[in-house]
Amino acid sequence: MCRWAAWSGAPKYLEEVICDPEHSLIDQSRNALSCKTAVNADGFGVAWYGDRQTPCLYKDVRPAWSDPNLLQIARHIRSGHFLAHVRASTGTATTRDNCHPFTHDRWTFMHNGQIGGYDRVRRQFDNIIPDDLYQARMGGTDSESLFLVALAYGLTQNPRAAMAKAVFEAETMSAQAGCKPHMRFAAGWSDGETLYAARYASDNFAPTLYYREFEDGVMVVSEPLDQARNCWKEVPQGKMIAVRQGSITETAFLNDETLVEA
Amino acid sequence: MCRWAAWSGAPKYLEEVICDPEHSLIDQSRNALSCKTAVNADGFGVAWYGDRQTPCLYKDVRPAWSDPNLLQIARHIRSGHFLAHVRASTGTATTRDNCHPFTHDRWTFMHNGQIGGYDRVRRQFDNIIPDDLYQARMGGTDSESLFLVALAYGLTQNPRAAMAKAVFEAETMSAQAGCKPHMRFAAGWSDGETLYAARYASDNFAPTLYYREFEDGVMVVSEPLDQARNCWKEVPQGKMIAVRQGSITETAFLNDETLVEA
Amino acid sequence: MCRWAAWSGAPKYLEEVICDPEHSLIDQSRNALSCKTAVNADGFGVAWYGDRQTPCLYKDVRPAWSDPNLLQIARHIRSGHFLAHVRASTGTATTRDNCHPFTHDRWTFMHNGQIGGYDRVRRQFDNIIPDDLYQARMGGTDSESLFLVALAYGLTQNPRAAMAKAVFEAETMSAQAGCKPHMRFAAGWSDGETLYAARYASDNFAPTLYYREFEDGVMVVSEPLDQARNCWKEVPQGKMIAVRQGSITETAFLNDETLVEA
Amino acid sequence: MCRWAAWSGAPKYLEEVICDPEHSLIDQSRNALSCKTAVNADGFGVAWYGDRQTPCLYKDVRPAWSDPNLLQIARHIRSGHFLAHVRASTGTATTRDNCHPFTHDRWTFMHNGQIGGYDRVRRQFDNIIPDDLYQARMGGTDSESLFLVALAYGLTQNPRAAMAKAVFEAETMSAQAGCKPHMRFAAGWSDGETLYAARYASDNFAPTLYYREFEDGVMVVSEPLDQARNCWKEVPQGKMIAVRQGSITETAFLNDETLVEA
């Protein structure tokens, strides 16, 4: 399990999410509260959108709190759209390529959760990725593979359906391989303009996912960055939100209804 | 605060201390129990004595649990005398040069504790180090400086008195600078033949220090590696032990009596 | 292209190969002579056999010359059988998982060369790896994949034929994809008892490969570690050697004749 | 010896200096031409000025070419004032704290050269640094110490005289200790508004230093980034330049005349 946070709104220094809040992402890397793993110190990453269409990606294998470069960047970089992640490995190696977010052209993806028994379905699941995207496979995580499969399923055209189909496919393979829980998923993804976040599980224990509206933007997080619990709304299991220019749309992500379309 | 463990006895794989026990040093790096900081993930180090007179030193800035090289080395290296440490920085940078143990010729030193208000006495304390040893100053920690000052005071000739004098000097400077607590100290040091460990504080809160006798050697630790609490003896505050070829000698380390000699 | 060196014989400190010779592996990491890339500083690795049946693997992404841990280990570890490598990336990322050697159970593999146009055949080539071995795929290099494919082809049973078949398969795919040169290959592999080394190319430019007999063992290298050029014998293109308990056997590796058997 | 480059002018992507030119700083990290050390791969750093008064500092121990984060940052960050450096250690450890640039409040400093026999004068030279600045001493290099001594001598008030006095003091100590050459110095420093660069040696072999005027700014470098040699002007030994809002002032840095004032 991991912790993540994303911002869409007026330009904000990264440190206003990563470092400054009472229960900032860095605090969560040491001491997460609503997470199976209190310590999320197997690397970190942040992708921010600035001048260029593609995001700038900074990630590394150290704990977020101990990387002096991250503190510098968080203090000096301001962005209106960014996604940040602290990782607790569920088994795969602590390498930069296994850290979140993952990026591809304009798109960014980060994840908290896992495909059940991924070791046993990895090969089968990787095989969905078409050759041209397979070149972009750098590490060995289920999360990177989910992103590439979603891209293969048309993420850039249909951000919900493609991701839901990737998740459903992984869940099905996990179930067929007899692994439990088949799927736990709380992910954020973005093209730099719209921020998507979804919450799902094949059982009743989807990882937590919250968002909060501020005057100048919207924050989406694994767990609240402060104790103002009333201000944070929980995304219901099976639902997703899309944040664009300050407006939030909540829709179904993956359920009986959406599966028909997907 | 940090956690450390040392072994003197029959050759043992490093992993038998670092990885395997229920509450191994790696477990303590995530989840220390009798420590102000439960997470000790600001680097690690191990120094072991083998074929050569000098120890082999392996240390790095990642959490102990996430470094695949450490797991390899711990699994394959066997030594009859080694010292291992996981660090929680008390302010200085997370760099390899600030990780413990520190070595000099045949000598190894590692520490859990701190000189109160070190920032304010660092310069004065560093100035005790003579020029020839000052070249060996690599980082910026109080612990490295304590080691070099102890070497300057004749550690290789009188392992107790030199270390006690270094600690007393640091405590005095801290007190004069009005910092509190002046000194907290639980350290291990060795020349590869005798393992020394001392426990001291200028107040009543010396960091914990335990040892346990096994059939084939003696283990000295910040906190017990397992729940057999009766097997672990606590070193009293102000005392030290010396372990040599299976025999343990407990003596005063730093108190009114020893100060007269020192 | 990369540089590598291996030793089979009486126990030797790793530094006697990695650091001490006039043109040691570390010197070659800065200043290789018979190599397209003079600088081989995209990580390094060493696997040595000791007490256990499996090798101990130490590798990292820094240049070999700048890692203080490597210098410590090379100075203190003695082994009668080890393989060491300095890497110059041919395109894949500089991550630990992409550094050589690669190990699997008792087996170690390291490589200098490349599959031509690997990007275009990677997916197809990876698909030869059976599911149980695919879990061991950590990075994205052609070399790691060659090793896993050779294991799939029975490397532990037939160390020559399996490796030759893997190389031939890769060469064929590269040729079919219209990439040139199809294959350049100078590799060392071992089970801790016999050291194998082969030299091959699909054109006339196989990477260099030499060995030298000493009184107490045999060294196999990408390029000689000193200027005693008469002492170093070149392995001919298409040939391989097997070194076991001081005796060297030269056989065909991959040519018209062996292909019939393979 | 090291290589460095700095820009003062219209906002420019860092990659336009670090990555893109024919003989970019990254190219110089592998293959410097007018440098004793062709390979400058013992870490790198870049400090850029943006929204805040203090610079953002990104540095690490890997070769510049192999750090994927640097390539990301260089591609996405645009600044009108930045200083970048690739390091070849002259003996001190390859740690982040020993990498250039060094920063203090608004000030940035980077250096190519060395104090002769620094090991023998380090202690004496460090002792010039007053207590409040001594806390900022992180590593062990002569360059960091030069910067702190210059700050102690009033760098923020008199950027030339303070730096010249620091250099002269170091040179004098080196000469008194009988080391040769006493001093080689080609440094850049800045407060984010004016970029200073000086070239000096106690013998006739000052490290090279060039600058070039573009329509939209001025670049100062250790060696030209391209083959348009006529466009690059050499700073004469003993001289310095100050670049502010597109205008360049050349003055004496350290010679008989300036010593009178200093």
Side-chain angles (χ1 to χ4, degrees):
Chain A
M1 305 300 260
C2 312
R3 298 286 88 176
W4 59 257
W7 171 255
S8 170
K12 200 184 252 306
Y13 284 108
L14 305 186
E15 70 179 3
E16 296 176 64
V17 168
I18 294 176
C19 313
D20 294 347
E22 184 190 347
H23 192 46
S24 68
L25 202 60
I26 280 191
D27 190 60
Q28 294 182 26
S29 72
R30 281 182 190 276
N31 190 31
L33 299 175
S34 56
C35 188
K36 264 172 32 187
T37 52
V39 178
N40 295 277
D42 297 327
F44 65 86
V46 56
W48 67 89
Y49 291 85
D51 289 347
R52 297 200 189 260
Q53 286 207 328
T54 55
C56 184
L57 179 63
Y58 178 64
K59 53 187 194 178
D60 210 345
V61 298
R62 295 169 63 157
W65 73 75
S66 86
D67 183 56
N69 289 322
L70 176 63
L71 303 186
Q72 284 284 317
I73 284 168
R75 176 152 185 73
H76 287 90
I77 301 290
R78 198 150 51 165
S79 165
H81 204 96
F82 60 88
L83 301 89
H85 187 276
V86 293
R87 182 171 180 248
S89 167
T90 51
T92 42
T94 301
T95 65
R96 182 183 186 274
D97 288 337
N98 284 347
C99 290
H100 306 222
F102 303 95
T103 62
H104 192 81
D105 290 340
R106 299 181 57 168
W107 287 82
T108 297
F109 173 74
M110 62 185 177
H111 179 220
N112 169 32
Q114 64 183 124
I115 302 174
Y118 178 60
D119 271 1
R120 294 165 62 186
V121 302
R122 175 182 167 192
R123 168 56 163 279
Q124 189 185 358
F125 194 63
D126 271 12
N127 267 335
I128 304 175
I129 307 167
D131 281 5
D132 56 331
L133 283 169
Y134 191 70
Q135 294 177 27
R137 179 77 154 133
M138 304 290 283
T141 62
D142 50 356
S143 301
E144 185 191 27
S145 205
L146 269 174
F147 180 40
L148 293 173
V149 167
L151 285 166
Y153 285 161
L155 187 75
T156 63
Q157 302 304 316
N158 194 334
R160 187 206 60 76
M163 188 61 77
K165 192 173 172 192
V167 169
F168 181 69
E169 205 63 52
E171 178 181 357
T172 305
M173 285 184 190
S174 173
Q176 283 167 351
C179 309
K180 280 196 176 178
H182 312 322
M183 172 62 72
R184 299 258 175 82
F185 179 84
W189 63 103
S190 174
D191 62 356
E193 296 187 348
T194 307
L195 173 66
Y196 305 89
R199 185 177 177 220
Y200 176 77
S202 52
D203 55 17
N204 291 320
F205 304 101
T208 54
L209 184 63
Y210 298 85
Y211 65 96
R212 177 173 174 179
E213 292 174 82
F214 292 84
E215 277 193 11
D216 60 347
V218 178
M219 205 174 289
V220 188
V221 298
S222 295
E223 65 183 61
L225 303 191
D226 55 48
Q227 294 184 5
R229 296 300 290 249
N230 292 336
C231 302
W232 298 91
K233 294 181 194 146
E234 196 168 20
V235 177
Q237 185 159 333
K239 299 281 188 180
M240 70 176 289
I241 57 170
V243 181
R244 184 183 175 86
Q245 294 179 342
S247 82
I248 304 168
T249 317
E250 187 180 302
T251 58
F253 171 61
L254 181 55
N255 58 28
D256 295 347
E257 190 182 343
T258 65
L259 281 178
V260 177
E261 326 160 31
Chain B
M1 305 300 259
C2 312
R3 297 285 89 174
W4 60 258
W7 171 255
S8 170
K12 201 186 252 308
Y13 284 108
L14 305 186
E15 70 179 3
E16 296 176 63
V17 168
I18 295 176
C19 312
D20 295 346
E22 184 190 346
H23 193 45
S24 68
L25 203 60
I26 279 190
D27 189 61
Q28 295 182 25
S29 71
R30 279 184 192 275
N31 191 31
L33 299 175
S34 56
C35 187
K36 265 172 30 187
T37 52
V39 178
N40 295 276
D42 296 328
F44 67 85
V46 55
W48 69 87
Y49 292 84
D51 290 347
R52 299 199 188 260
Q53 286 208 328
T54 55
C56 184
L57 179 63
Y58 177 65
K59 53 187 194 177
D60 210 345
V61 297
R62 295 168 63 157
W65 73 75
S66 85
D67 182 56
N69 289 321
L70 176 63
L71 302 186
Q72 283 285 317
I73 285 168
R75 175 150 186 74
H76 288 90
I77 301 290
R78 200 150 50 165
S79 165
H81 204 97
F82 59 89
L83 301 88
H85 187 275
V86 292
R87 180 170 181 249
S89 166
T90 51
T92 42
T94 301
T95 64
R96 183 183 185 274
D97 288 335
N98 285 347
C99 290
H100 306 222
F102 304 95
T103 63
H104 192 81
D105 291 341
R106 300 180 56 168
W107 286 82
T108 296
F109 172 76
M110 62 186 177
H111 178 220
N112 169 32
Q114 66 182 123
I115 301 174
Y118 178 60
D119 271 1
R120 294 164 62 186
V121 301
R122 175 181 167 192
R123 169 54 165 280
Q124 189 186 358
F125 194 64
D126 271 12
N127 266 336
I128 304 175
I129 307 167
D131 280 5
D132 57 332
L133 283 168
Y134 192 71
Q135 293 177 27
R137 179 77 154 132
M138 305 289 284
T141 62
D142 50 356
S143 301
E144 185 191 27
S145 205
L146 269 174
F147 180 40
L148 294 173
V149 167
L151 284 166
Y153 285 162
L155 187 74
T156 62
Q157 302 303 315
N158 194 333
R160 187 207 59 77
M163 188 60 77
K165 192 172 172 192
V167 169
F168 180 70
E169 204 64 51
E171 178 181 356
T172 305
M173 284 184 189
S174 173
Q176 283 167 351
C179 309
K180 279 195 177 180
H182 313 323
M183 170 63 69
R184 298 259 174 84
F185 180 84
W189 63 104
S190 174
D191 62 356
E193 295 186 349
T194 307
L195 173 66
Y196 305 89
R199 185 176 177 219
Y200 176 77
S202 52
D203 55 18
N204 291 321
F205 303 102
T208 53
L209 184 63
Y210 297 86
Y211 65 96
R212 179 174 173 179
E213 291 173 82
F214 292 83
E215 277 193 10
D216 60 347
V218 178
M219 204 175 288
V220 188
V221 298
S222 295
E223 67 183 60
L225 303 192
D226 55 47
Q227 293 184 7
R229 296 301 291 249
N230 292 338
C231 302
W232 298 91
K233 294 183 194 144
E234 195 169 19
V235 177
Q237 185 159 333
K239 298 283 187 180
M240 71 177 288
I241 57 170
V243 181
R244 185 184 176 83
Q245 294 180 343
S247 81
I248 303 168
T249 318
E250 186 181 303
T251 59
F253 171 62
L254 180 55
N255 57 28
D256 295 348
E257 191 181 343
T258 66
L259 281 178
V260 177
E261 325 159 32
Chain C
M1 308 299 260
C2 312
R3 299 285 88 176
W4 60 258
W7 171 255
S8 170
K12 200 187 252 306
Y13 285 108
L14 305 186
E15 70 178 3
E16 296 176 64
V17 168
I18 294 176
C19 312
D20 295 347
E22 184 190 346
H23 192 46
S24 68
L25 202 60
I26 280 191
D27 189 61
Q28 294 182 26
S29 73
R30 280 182 190 278
N31 191 32
L33 299 176
S34 56
C35 188
K36 265 171 32 188
T37 52
V39 177
N40 296 278
D42 297 327
F44 67 86
V46 57
W48 68 88
Y49 292 85
D51 289 348
R52 297 200 189 260
Q53 285 207 330
T54 55
C56 183
L57 180 63
Y58 177 64
K59 53 187 193 176
D60 209 344
V61 298
R62 294 168 62 156
W65 73 76
S66 86
D67 182 56
N69 289 323
L70 176 64
L71 303 186
Q72 282 285 317
I73 285 168
R75 176 151 185 73
H76 287 90
I77 301 290
R78 200 151 50 166
S79 166
H81 205 96
F82 60 89
L83 301 88
H85 188 275
V86 293
R87 180 170 182 248
S89 165
T90 52
T92 41
T94 300
T95 65
R96 183 184 186 273
D97 287 336
N98 285 347
C99 290
H100 307 224
F102 303 95
T103 62
H104 192 80
D105 291 339
R106 299 181 56 170
W107 287 82
T108 297
F109 173 75
M110 64 185 176
H111 179 220
N112 167 33
Q114 67 183 122
I115 301 175
Y118 177 61
D119 271 1
R120 294 165 61 186
V121 301
R122 176 182 166 191
R123 171 54 164 281
Q124 189 185 358
F125 194 63
D126 271 13
N127 266 335
I128 304 175
I129 307 167
D131 280 6
D132 57 331
L133 282 169
Y134 192 70
Q135 295 178 25
R137 179 74 154 134
M138 305 289 283
T141 63
D142 50 357
S143 300
E144 185 191 27
S145 206
L146 269 174
F147 181 40
L148 294 173
V149 167
L151 285 165
Y153 284 162
L155 188 75
T156 63
Q157 302 305 315
N158 193 334
R160 186 208 60 77
M163 188 60 77
K165 192 173 170 191
V167 169
F168 181 70
E169 205 64 51
E171 177 181 355
T172 304
M173 285 183 190
S174 173
Q176 283 166 350
C179 310
K180 282 196 176 178
H182 313 322
M183 172 62 70
R184 298 260 174 82
F185 179 83
W189 63 103
S190 173
D191 62 357
E193 295 186 349
T194 307
L195 172 67
Y196 304 89
R199 184 177 178 220
Y200 176 77
S202 52
D203 55 17
N204 292 319
F205 302 102
T208 53
L209 184 62
Y210 297 85
Y211 65 96
R212 180 174 172 179
E213 292 174 82
F214 291 85
E215 277 192 10
D216 60 348
V218 178
M219 204 175 287
V220 188
V221 298
S222 294
E223 65 182 63
L225 303 191
D226 54 46
Q227 294 184 6
R229 297 300 291 250
N230 292 337
C231 302
W232 298 91
K233 293 182 195 146
E234 196 169 20
V235 177
Q237 185 159 334
K239 298 283 189 180
M240 71 176 289
I241 57 170
V243 180
R244 185 184 175 84
Q245 294 179 342
S247 83
I248 304 167
T249 317
E250 187 180 302
T251 58
F253 171 62
L254 181 54
N255 56 30
D256 295 348
E257 191 182 342
T258 66
L259 282 179
V260 177
E261 323 160 34
Chain D
M1 307 298 259
C2 312
R3 298 286 87 175
W4 59 258
W7 171 255
S8 170
K12 201 186 252 308
Y13 284 108
L14 305 185
E15 70 179 3
E16 295 176 64
V17 168
I18 294 176
C19 312
D20 295 346
E22 183 189 350
H23 192 45
S24 68
L25 203 60
I26 280 191
D27 190 62
Q28 294 183 26
S29 72
R30 279 183 192 277
N31 191 31
L33 299 175
S34 57
C35 188
K36 265 172 31 188
T37 52
V39 178
N40 296 276
D42 296 327
F44 67 86
V46 56
W48 68 89
Y49 292 85
D51 289 347
R52 298 199 188 260
Q53 286 207 328
T54 55
C56 184
L57 180 62
Y58 178 64
K59 53 188 193 176
D60 210 343
V61 298
R62 294 169 64 156
W65 73 75
S66 85
D67 183 57
N69 289 322
L70 176 63
L71 302 187
Q72 283 285 317
I73 285 168
R75 175 148 187 77
H76 287 90
I77 301 290
R78 200 150 50 164
S79 165
H81 205 97
F82 59 89
L83 302 88
H85 187 275
V86 293
R87 182 171 181 248
S89 166
T90 51
T92 41
T94 301
T95 65
R96 183 182 185 273
D97 288 336
N98 285 347
C99 289
H100 306 223
F102 304 95
T103 61
H104 192 81
D105 291 341
R106 300 181 56 168
W107 287 82
T108 297
F109 172 75
M110 64 185 176
H111 179 220
N112 168 33
Q114 67 184 122
I115 302 174
Y118 178 60
D119 271 1
R120 294 165 61 186
V121 301
R122 175 181 167 191
R123 169 55 163 280
Q124 189 185 359
F125 193 64
D126 271 12
N127 267 335
I128 304 175
I129 307 167
D131 280 5
D132 57 332
L133 282 169
Y134 192 69
Q135 294 178 26
R137 179 75 153 134
M138 304 290 283
T141 62
D142 50 356
S143 301
E144 185 191 26
S145 205
L146 268 174
F147 180 40
L148 293 173
V149 168
L151 284 165
Y153 285 162
L155 188 75
T156 63
Q157 302 304 316
N158 194 334
R160 186 207 60 77
M163 188 61 76
K165 192 173 172 192
V167 169
F168 181 69
E169 205 64 51
E171 177 181 358
T172 305
M173 284 184 191
S174 173
Q176 282 166 352
C179 308
K180 282 196 175 177
H182 312 323
M183 172 61 72
R184 299 258 175 84
F185 180 84
W189 62 103
S190 174
D191 61 357
E193 295 187 349
T194 307
L195 172 66
Y196 305 89
R199 185 177 178 221
Y200 177 77
S202 51
D203 55 19
N204 292 319
F205 303 101
T208 53
L209 185 61
Y210 298 85
Y211 64 97
R212 178 172 173 179
E213 292 173 82
F214 291 84
E215 277 192 11
D216 60 347
V218 178
M219 203 175 288
V220 188
V221 297
S222 295
E223 65 183 62
L225 302 192
D226 56 46
Q227 293 184 6
R229 297 301 291 249
N230 292 337
C231 303
W232 298 91
K233 294 182 195 146
E234 196 169 20
V235 176
Q237 185 159 335
K239 299 283 188 178
M240 72 176 288
I241 58 171
V243 181
R244 185 184 175 84
Q245 293 179 343
S247 82
I248 303 167
T249 317
E250 186 179 304
T251 58
F253 171 61
L254 181 54
N255 57 27
D256 295 348
E257 192 181 342
T258 65
L259 281 179
V260 177
E261 328 160 29

